[in-house]
Amino acid sequence: PLCCEVHPGNTFEGNTLDGIVDRIGKKLSIRRFIFVADRGLFSFDNLEHIKARNGEFIVGLKMGTLKRDIQEDFYDLSKFTWISSELAIRETSLNDDRCIITWSKSRADRDRKAREDVLEKIKNTLSSSKPLTKKFITNRAYKKYLSIQ
């Protein structure tokens, strides 16, 4: 790494990239840079900002932010190359960018457990004699599993 920056804990990461790329360009005389970040910095605007400065990137992608048809294609395990029964990879593209997708049994198990836990909480709340509260209905973890009529 050439440099790193630390921001206050209450700073939304997605809005910090513009300044970082510009400061790195002014601070260092480099011919090529590859920006590496977790999915907290992922946005198409951020990627365009990096590309506009002739930068490259390796970033985590939030699959849930993609359109449903793209998600369904990306989750199609028949298109993956299986490294072992525990790990599979797939290389594809998204908006002319190279995209490498991984599937791991341990992550799939963890995600399944998290979904089951949320669904169990919803079932318990719905079966209780207490009336539903606005907090329950607006709980972000619950929203994708509920249809309110």
mmCIF file of all heavy atoms in Angstrom, residues 3 5 7 11-27 33 35 37 40-55 59:
data_model
loop_
_atom_site.group_PDB
_atom_site.id
_atom_site.type_symbol
_atom_site.label_atom_id
_atom_site.label_comp_id
_atom_site.label_asym_id
_atom_site.label_seq_id
_atom_site.Cartn_x
_atom_site.Cartn_y
_atom_site.Cartn_z
ATOM 1 N N CYS A 3 -0.469 4.346 0.686
ATOM 2 C CA CYS A 3 -0.944 5.180 1.778
ATOM 3 C C CYS A 3 -2.294 4.666 2.251
ATOM 4 O O CYS A 3 -2.899 3.815 1.613
ATOM 5 C CB CYS A 3 -1.051 6.640 1.347
ATOM 6 S SG CYS A 3 -2.279 6.930 0.071
ATOM 7 N N GLU A 5 -5.901 6.116 4.768
ATOM 8 C CA GLU A 5 -6.530 7.228 5.463
ATOM 9 C C GLU A 5 -7.505 6.686 6.486
ATOM 10 O O GLU A 5 -8.112 5.639 6.284
ATOM 11 C CB GLU A 5 -7.290 8.132 4.474
ATOM 12 C CG GLU A 5 -6.381 8.929 3.579
ATOM 13 C CD GLU A 5 -7.119 10.040 2.850
ATOM 14 O OE1 GLU A 5 -8.269 10.345 3.200
ATOM 15 O OE2 GLU A 5 -6.517 10.610 1.936
ATOM 16 N N HIS A 7 -10.837 7.897 8.797
ATOM 17 C CA HIS A 7 -11.880 8.916 8.935
ATOM 18 C C HIS A 7 -12.623 8.699 10.249
ATOM 19 O O HIS A 7 -12.593 7.608 10.808
ATOM 20 C CB HIS A 7 -12.857 8.834 7.756
ATOM 21 C CG HIS A 7 -12.211 9.141 6.444
ATOM 22 N ND1 HIS A 7 -12.155 10.397 5.933
ATOM 23 C CD2 HIS A 7 -11.561 8.334 5.558
ATOM 24 C CE1 HIS A 7 -11.514 10.362 4.770
ATOM 25 N NE2 HIS A 7 -11.144 9.127 4.524
ATOM 26 N N THR A 11 -18.375 8.545 9.689
ATOM 27 C CA THR A 11 -18.285 8.973 8.293
ATOM 28 C C THR A 11 -18.707 7.836 7.379
ATOM 29 O O THR A 11 -18.174 6.737 7.458
ATOM 30 C CB THR A 11 -16.838 9.385 7.934
ATOM 31 O OG1 THR A 11 -16.413 10.402 8.837
ATOM 32 C CG2 THR A 11 -16.744 9.893 6.508
ATOM 33 N N PHE A 12 -19.661 8.090 6.494
ATOM 34 C CA PHE A 12 -20.089 7.097 5.513
ATOM 35 C C PHE A 12 -18.961 6.908 4.506
ATOM 36 O O PHE A 12 -18.547 7.852 3.832
ATOM 37 C CB PHE A 12 -21.376 7.546 4.821
ATOM 38 C CG PHE A 12 -21.783 6.668 3.669
ATOM 39 C CD1 PHE A 12 -22.042 5.321 3.871
ATOM 40 C CD2 PHE A 12 -21.893 7.188 2.395
ATOM 41 C CE1 PHE A 12 -22.404 4.503 2.816
ATOM 42 C CE2 PHE A 12 -22.267 6.383 1.336
ATOM 43 C CZ PHE A 12 -22.527 5.032 1.541
ATOM 44 N N GLU A 13 -18.466 5.678 4.405
ATOM 45 C CA GLU A 13 -17.319 5.390 3.544
ATOM 46 C C GLU A 13 -17.559 5.722 2.075
ATOM 47 O O GLU A 13 -16.663 6.138 1.370
ATOM 48 C CB GLU A 13 -16.955 3.900 3.636
ATOM 49 C CG GLU A 13 -16.312 3.485 4.907
ATOM 50 C CD GLU A 13 -15.978 1.997 4.896
ATOM 51 O OE1 GLU A 13 -16.730 1.206 4.297
ATOM 52 O OE2 GLU A 13 -14.958 1.652 5.481
ATOM 53 N N GLY A 14 -18.774 5.487 1.614
ATOM 54 C CA GLY A 14 -19.069 5.671 0.200
ATOM 55 C C GLY A 14 -18.812 7.070 -0.324
ATOM 56 O O GLY A 14 -18.618 7.266 -1.519
ATOM 57 N N ASN A 15 -18.790 8.066 0.562
ATOM 58 C CA ASN A 15 -18.577 9.449 0.128
ATOM 59 C C ASN A 15 -17.134 9.918 0.283
ATOM 60 O O ASN A 15 -16.842 11.086 0.061
ATOM 61 C CB ASN A 15 -19.491 10.394 0.916
ATOM 62 C CG ASN A 15 -20.946 10.123 0.648
ATOM 63 O OD1 ASN A 15 -21.311 9.620 -0.405
ATOM 64 N ND2 ASN A 15 -21.787 10.435 1.611
ATOM 65 N N THR A 16 -16.224 9.052 0.672
ATOM 66 C CA THR A 16 -14.845 9.475 0.949
ATOM 67 C C THR A 16 -13.904 9.272 -0.227
ATOM 68 O O THR A 16 -12.811 9.819 -0.238
ATOM 69 C CB THR A 16 -14.268 8.711 2.154
ATOM 70 O OG1 THR A 16 -14.262 7.307 1.864
ATOM 71 C CG2 THR A 16 -15.081 8.981 3.410
ATOM 72 N N LEU A 17 -14.315 8.524 -1.225
ATOM 73 C CA LEU A 17 -13.401 8.123 -2.286
ATOM 74 C C LEU A 17 -12.875 9.275 -3.130
ATOM 75 O O LEU A 17 -11.689 9.324 -3.438
ATOM 76 C CB LEU A 17 -14.057 7.084 -3.188
ATOM 77 C CG LEU A 17 -13.141 6.533 -4.275
ATOM 78 C CD1 LEU A 17 -12.059 5.669 -3.652
ATOM 79 C CD2 LEU A 17 -13.916 5.769 -5.292
ATOM 80 N N ASP A 18 -13.740 10.207 -3.525
ATOM 81 C CA ASP A 18 -13.307 11.311 -4.385
ATOM 82 C C ASP A 18 -12.068 11.992 -3.815
ATOM 83 O O ASP A 18 -11.073 12.176 -4.505
ATOM 84 C CB ASP A 18 -14.416 12.357 -4.549
ATOM 85 C CG ASP A 18 -15.594 11.835 -5.346
ATOM 86 O OD1 ASP A 18 -15.546 10.673 -5.797
ATOM 87 O OD2 ASP A 18 -16.554 12.588 -5.516
ATOM 88 N N GLY A 19 -12.129 12.354 -2.568
ATOM 89 C CA GLY A 19 -11.012 13.043 -1.938
ATOM 90 C C GLY A 19 -9.772 12.185 -1.834
ATOM 91 O O GLY A 19 -8.649 12.666 -2.035
ATOM 92 N N ILE A 20 -9.938 10.909 -1.538
ATOM 93 C CA ILE A 20 -8.787 10.012 -1.406
ATOM 94 C C ILE A 20 -8.026 9.917 -2.720
ATOM 95 O O ILE A 20 -6.802 10.072 -2.756
ATOM 96 C CB ILE A 20 -9.243 8.610 -0.942
ATOM 97 C CG1 ILE A 20 -9.783 8.655 0.487
ATOM 98 C CG2 ILE A 20 -8.103 7.607 -1.034
ATOM 99 C CD1 ILE A 20 -10.468 7.363 0.919
ATOM 100 N N VAL A 21 -8.719 9.638 -3.801
ATOM 101 C CA VAL A 21 -8.063 9.481 -5.105
ATOM 102 C C VAL A 21 -7.355 10.767 -5.501
ATOM 103 O O VAL A 21 -6.213 10.749 -5.963
ATOM 104 C CB VAL A 21 -9.077 9.042 -6.184
ATOM 105 C CG1 VAL A 21 -8.439 9.044 -7.562
ATOM 106 C CG2 VAL A 21 -9.629 7.654 -5.861
ATOM 107 N N ASP A 22 -8.005 11.902 -5.299
ATOM 108 C CA ASP A 22 -7.385 13.180 -5.658
ATOM 109 C C ASP A 22 -6.148 13.462 -4.810
ATOM 110 O O ASP A 22 -5.117 13.901 -5.324
ATOM 111 C CB ASP A 22 -8.393 14.326 -5.516
ATOM 112 C CG ASP A 22 -9.503 14.229 -6.564
ATOM 113 O OD1 ASP A 22 -9.301 13.553 -7.594
ATOM 114 O OD2 ASP A 22 -10.568 14.821 -6.328
ATOM 115 N N ARG A 23 -6.227 13.205 -3.506
ATOM 116 C CA ARG A 23 -5.068 13.449 -2.624
ATOM 117 C C ARG A 23 -3.895 12.528 -2.961
ATOM 118 O O ARG A 23 -2.740 12.951 -2.947
ATOM 119 C CB ARG A 23 -5.466 13.301 -1.162
ATOM 120 C CG ARG A 23 -6.212 14.524 -0.628
ATOM 121 C CD ARG A 23 -6.411 14.479 0.873
ATOM 122 N NE ARG A 23 -7.247 13.376 1.313
ATOM 123 C CZ ARG A 23 -8.589 13.366 1.265
ATOM 124 N NH1 ARG A 23 -9.241 14.418 0.783
ATOM 125 N NH2 ARG A 23 -9.279 12.335 1.699
ATOM 126 N N ILE A 24 -4.187 11.283 -3.283
ATOM 127 C CA ILE A 24 -3.112 10.353 -3.652
ATOM 128 C C ILE A 24 -2.424 10.847 -4.916
ATOM 129 O O ILE A 24 -1.204 10.837 -5.015
ATOM 130 C CB ILE A 24 -3.656 8.920 -3.846
ATOM 131 C CG1 ILE A 24 -4.049 8.324 -2.503
ATOM 132 C CG2 ILE A 24 -2.627 8.030 -4.526
ATOM 133 C CD1 ILE A 24 -4.780 6.991 -2.613
ATOM 134 N N GLY A 25 -3.211 11.290 -5.880
ATOM 135 C CA GLY A 25 -2.632 11.793 -7.134
ATOM 136 C C GLY A 25 -1.734 12.999 -6.922
ATOM 137 O O GLY A 25 -0.701 13.138 -7.578
ATOM 138 N N LYS A 26 -2.102 13.889 -6.006
ATOM 139 C CA LYS A 26 -1.292 15.079 -5.728
ATOM 140 C C LYS A 26 -0.074 14.748 -4.881
ATOM 141 O O LYS A 26 0.990 15.345 -5.043
ATOM 142 C CB LYS A 26 -2.142 16.134 -5.015
ATOM 143 C CG LYS A 26 -3.202 16.744 -5.898
ATOM 144 C CD LYS A 26 -4.084 17.699 -5.119
ATOM 145 C CE LYS A 26 -5.227 18.199 -5.997
ATOM 146 N NZ LYS A 26 -6.208 18.957 -5.247
ATOM 147 N N LYS A 27 -0.223 13.805 -3.979
ATOM 148 C CA LYS A 27 0.820 13.465 -3.024
ATOM 149 C C LYS A 27 1.933 12.625 -3.635
ATOM 150 O O LYS A 27 3.113 12.795 -3.310
ATOM 151 C CB LYS A 27 0.190 12.672 -1.869
ATOM 152 C CG LYS A 27 0.917 12.780 -0.559
ATOM 153 C CD LYS A 27 0.295 11.888 0.515
ATOM 154 C CE LYS A 27 -1.117 12.244 0.885
ATOM 155 N NZ LYS A 27 -1.611 11.485 2.053
ATOM 156 N N PHE A 33 -2.195 3.187 -10.585
ATOM 157 C CA PHE A 33 -2.637 2.824 -9.247
ATOM 158 C C PHE A 33 -3.826 1.878 -9.323
ATOM 159 O O PHE A 33 -4.633 1.926 -10.245
ATOM 160 C CB PHE A 33 -2.947 4.048 -8.375
ATOM 161 C CG PHE A 33 -4.259 4.724 -8.659
ATOM 162 C CD1 PHE A 33 -5.403 4.351 -7.965
ATOM 163 C CD2 PHE A 33 -4.355 5.738 -9.595
ATOM 164 C CE1 PHE A 33 -6.614 4.977 -8.206
ATOM 165 C CE2 PHE A 33 -5.556 6.367 -9.851
ATOM 166 C CZ PHE A 33 -6.694 5.983 -9.154
ATOM 167 N N PHE A 35 -6.810 0.674 -6.825
ATOM 168 C CA PHE A 35 -7.513 0.980 -5.587
ATOM 169 C C PHE A 35 -8.151 -0.306 -5.067
ATOM 170 O O PHE A 35 -8.888 -0.984 -5.780
ATOM 171 C CB PHE A 35 -8.582 2.046 -5.856
ATOM 172 C CG PHE A 35 -9.170 2.619 -4.618
ATOM 173 C CD1 PHE A 35 -8.558 3.681 -3.986
ATOM 174 C CD2 PHE A 35 -10.323 2.091 -4.079
ATOM 175 C CE1 PHE A 35 -9.091 4.219 -2.828
ATOM 176 C CE2 PHE A 35 -10.870 2.613 -2.929
ATOM 177 C CZ PHE A 35 -10.243 3.680 -2.300
ATOM 178 N N ALA A 37 -10.486 -1.935 -1.997
ATOM 179 C CA ALA A 37 -11.390 -1.542 -0.911
ATOM 180 C C ALA A 37 -12.428 -2.628 -0.666
ATOM 181 O O ALA A 37 -12.710 -3.454 -1.544
ATOM 182 C CB ALA A 37 -12.086 -0.231 -1.255
ATOM 183 N N GLY A 40 -17.862 -1.600 1.312
ATOM 184 C CA GLY A 40 -18.400 -0.355 1.834
ATOM 185 C C GLY A 40 -18.136 0.828 0.908
ATOM 186 O O GLY A 40 -18.865 1.814 0.914
ATOM 187 N N LEU A 41 -17.097 0.735 0.097
ATOM 188 C CA LEU A 41 -16.771 1.812 -0.843
ATOM 189 C C LEU A 41 -17.318 1.553 -2.244
ATOM 190 O O LEU A 41 -17.121 2.347 -3.146
ATOM 191 C CB LEU A 41 -15.252 2.000 -0.930
ATOM 192 C CG LEU A 41 -14.659 2.841 0.181
ATOM 193 C CD1 LEU A 41 -13.142 2.819 0.113
ATOM 194 C CD2 LEU A 41 -15.149 4.268 0.095
ATOM 195 N N PHE A 42 -17.992 0.425 -2.417
ATOM 196 C CA PHE A 42 -18.494 0.119 -3.748
ATOM 197 C C PHE A 42 -19.684 0.987 -4.109
ATOM 198 O O PHE A 42 -20.662 1.074 -3.399
ATOM 199 C CB PHE A 42 -18.915 -1.347 -3.878
ATOM 200 C CG PHE A 42 -19.516 -1.626 -5.226
ATOM 201 C CD1 PHE A 42 -18.694 -1.871 -6.294
ATOM 202 C CD2 PHE A 42 -20.877 -1.558 -5.426
ATOM 203 C CE1 PHE A 42 -19.231 -2.085 -7.561
ATOM 204 C CE2 PHE A 42 -21.426 -1.762 -6.678
ATOM 205 C CZ PHE A 42 -20.603 -2.028 -7.747
ATOM 206 N N SER A 43 -19.561 1.626 -5.238
ATOM 207 C CA SER A 43 -20.682 2.258 -5.933
ATOM 208 C C SER A 43 -20.202 2.475 -7.355
ATOM 209 O O SER A 43 -19.002 2.612 -7.607
ATOM 210 C CB SER A 43 -21.095 3.590 -5.293
ATOM 211 O OG SER A 43 -20.190 4.614 -5.639
ATOM 212 N N PHE A 44 -21.119 2.480 -8.288
ATOM 213 C CA PHE A 44 -20.721 2.694 -9.677
ATOM 214 C C PHE A 44 -20.120 4.085 -9.854
ATOM 215 O O PHE A 44 -19.207 4.271 -10.641
ATOM 216 C CB PHE A 44 -21.891 2.433 -10.623
ATOM 217 C CG PHE A 44 -22.268 0.977 -10.687
ATOM 218 C CD1 PHE A 44 -23.441 0.530 -10.106
ATOM 219 C CD2 PHE A 44 -21.436 0.048 -11.297
ATOM 220 C CE1 PHE A 44 -23.777 -0.819 -10.141
ATOM 221 C CE2 PHE A 44 -21.760 -1.295 -11.342
ATOM 222 C CZ PHE A 44 -22.940 -1.728 -10.763
ATOM 223 N N ASP A 45 -20.603 5.070 -9.092
ATOM 224 C CA ASP A 45 -20.033 6.419 -9.160
ATOM 225 C C ASP A 45 -18.570 6.398 -8.720
ATOM 226 O O ASP A 45 -17.715 7.044 -9.326
ATOM 227 C CB ASP A 45 -20.820 7.396 -8.284
ATOM 228 C CG ASP A 45 -22.172 7.755 -8.882
ATOM 229 O OD1 ASP A 45 -22.379 7.518 -10.090
ATOM 230 O OD2 ASP A 45 -23.013 8.270 -8.131
ATOM 231 N N ASN A 46 -18.273 5.681 -7.645
ATOM 232 C CA ASN A 46 -16.890 5.585 -7.168
ATOM 233 C C ASN A 46 -15.990 4.925 -8.208
ATOM 234 O O ASN A 46 -14.864 5.367 -8.445
ATOM 235 C CB ASN A 46 -16.819 4.818 -5.855
ATOM 236 C CG ASN A 46 -17.206 5.669 -4.666
ATOM 237 O OD1 ASN A 46 -17.286 6.891 -4.755
ATOM 238 N ND2 ASN A 46 -17.458 5.024 -3.546
ATOM 239 N N LEU A 47 -16.488 3.874 -8.848
ATOM 240 C CA LEU A 47 -15.683 3.203 -9.866
ATOM 241 C C LEU A 47 -15.421 4.137 -11.049
ATOM 242 O O LEU A 47 -14.313 4.162 -11.594
ATOM 243 C CB LEU A 47 -16.370 1.926 -10.337
ATOM 244 C CG LEU A 47 -16.612 0.850 -9.274
ATOM 245 C CD1 LEU A 47 -17.180 -0.413 -9.910
ATOM 246 C CD2 LEU A 47 -15.371 0.549 -8.468
ATOM 247 N N GLU A 48 -16.419 4.900 -11.434
ATOM 248 C CA GLU A 48 -16.230 5.852 -12.535
ATOM 249 C C GLU A 48 -15.203 6.921 -12.156
ATOM 250 O O GLU A 48 -14.407 7.359 -12.982
ATOM 251 C CB GLU A 48 -17.561 6.493 -12.934
ATOM 252 C CG GLU A 48 -18.502 5.535 -13.630
ATOM 253 C CD GLU A 48 -17.893 4.837 -14.846
ATOM 254 O OE1 GLU A 48 -17.185 5.493 -15.648
ATOM 255 O OE2 GLU A 48 -18.103 3.617 -14.975
ATOM 256 N N HIS A 49 -15.218 7.344 -10.896
ATOM 257 C CA HIS A 49 -14.252 8.329 -10.412
ATOM 258 C C HIS A 49 -12.824 7.776 -10.535
ATOM 259 O O HIS A 49 -11.916 8.480 -10.971
ATOM 260 C CB HIS A 49 -14.563 8.709 -8.964
ATOM 261 C CG HIS A 49 -13.781 9.870 -8.465
ATOM 262 N ND1 HIS A 49 -14.121 11.174 -8.747
ATOM 263 C CD2 HIS A 49 -12.648 9.934 -7.726
ATOM 264 C CE1 HIS A 49 -13.238 11.981 -8.198
ATOM 265 N NE2 HIS A 49 -12.338 11.252 -7.566
ATOM 266 N N ILE A 50 -12.638 6.531 -10.169
ATOM 267 C CA ILE A 50 -11.319 5.893 -10.267
ATOM 268 C C ILE A 50 -10.909 5.774 -11.731
ATOM 269 O O ILE A 50 -9.781 6.106 -12.103
ATOM 270 C CB ILE A 50 -11.339 4.505 -9.586
ATOM 271 C CG1 ILE A 50 -11.517 4.670 -8.078
ATOM 272 C CG2 ILE A 50 -10.064 3.731 -9.895
ATOM 273 C CD1 ILE A 50 -11.823 3.371 -7.350
ATOM 274 N N LYS A 51 -11.820 5.304 -12.584
ATOM 275 C CA LYS A 51 -11.515 5.154 -14.014
ATOM 276 C C LYS A 51 -11.165 6.490 -14.658
ATOM 277 O O LYS A 51 -10.282 6.560 -15.513
ATOM 278 C CB LYS A 51 -12.716 4.551 -14.753
ATOM 279 C CG LYS A 51 -12.974 3.103 -14.447
ATOM 280 C CD LYS A 51 -14.196 2.669 -15.255
ATOM 281 C CE LYS A 51 -14.789 1.402 -14.789
ATOM 282 N NZ LYS A 51 -15.997 1.035 -15.560
ATOM 283 N N ALA A 52 -11.848 7.559 -14.256
ATOM 284 C CA ALA A 52 -11.596 8.888 -14.833
ATOM 285 C C ALA A 52 -10.175 9.358 -14.543
ATOM 286 O O ALA A 52 -9.658 10.215 -15.252
ATOM 287 C CB ALA A 52 -12.606 9.897 -14.288
ATOM 288 N N ARG A 53 -9.557 8.822 -13.517
ATOM 289 C CA ARG A 53 -8.173 9.173 -13.167
ATOM 290 C C ARG A 53 -7.206 8.071 -13.576
ATOM 291 O O ARG A 53 -6.133 7.923 -13.024
ATOM 292 C CB ARG A 53 -8.079 9.468 -11.674
ATOM 293 C CG ARG A 53 -8.633 10.857 -11.372
ATOM 294 C CD ARG A 53 -9.336 10.913 -10.037
ATOM 295 N NE ARG A 53 -9.930 12.229 -9.810
ATOM 296 C CZ ARG A 53 -11.108 12.603 -10.293
ATOM 297 N NH1 ARG A 53 -11.800 11.804 -11.054
ATOM 298 N NH2 ARG A 53 -11.601 13.791 -10.035
ATOM 299 N N ASN A 54 -7.633 7.265 -14.566
ATOM 300 C CA ASN A 54 -6.842 6.160 -15.103
ATOM 301 C C ASN A 54 -6.441 5.146 -14.041
ATOM 302 O O ASN A 54 -5.392 4.525 -14.128
ATOM 303 C CB ASN A 54 -5.604 6.678 -15.850
ATOM 304 C CG ASN A 54 -5.990 7.507 -17.049
ATOM 305 O OD1 ASN A 54 -6.907 7.142 -17.780
ATOM 306 N ND2 ASN A 54 -5.328 8.632 -17.230
ATOM 307 N N GLY A 55 -7.263 4.998 -13.048
ATOM 308 C CA GLY A 55 -7.000 4.016 -12.006
ATOM 309 C C GLY A 55 -7.712 2.710 -12.279
ATOM 310 O O GLY A 55 -8.615 2.622 -13.105
ATOM 311 N N VAL A 59 -12.515 -4.288 -5.799
ATOM 312 C CA VAL A 59 -13.464 -3.935 -4.740
ATOM 313 C C VAL A 59 -14.465 -5.065 -4.530
ATOM 314 O O VAL A 59 -14.758 -5.829 -5.445
ATOM 315 C CB VAL A 59 -14.235 -2.627 -5.051
ATOM 316 C CG1 VAL A 59 -13.307 -1.434 -5.080
ATOM 317 C CG2 VAL A 59 -15.003 -2.729 -6.351
#
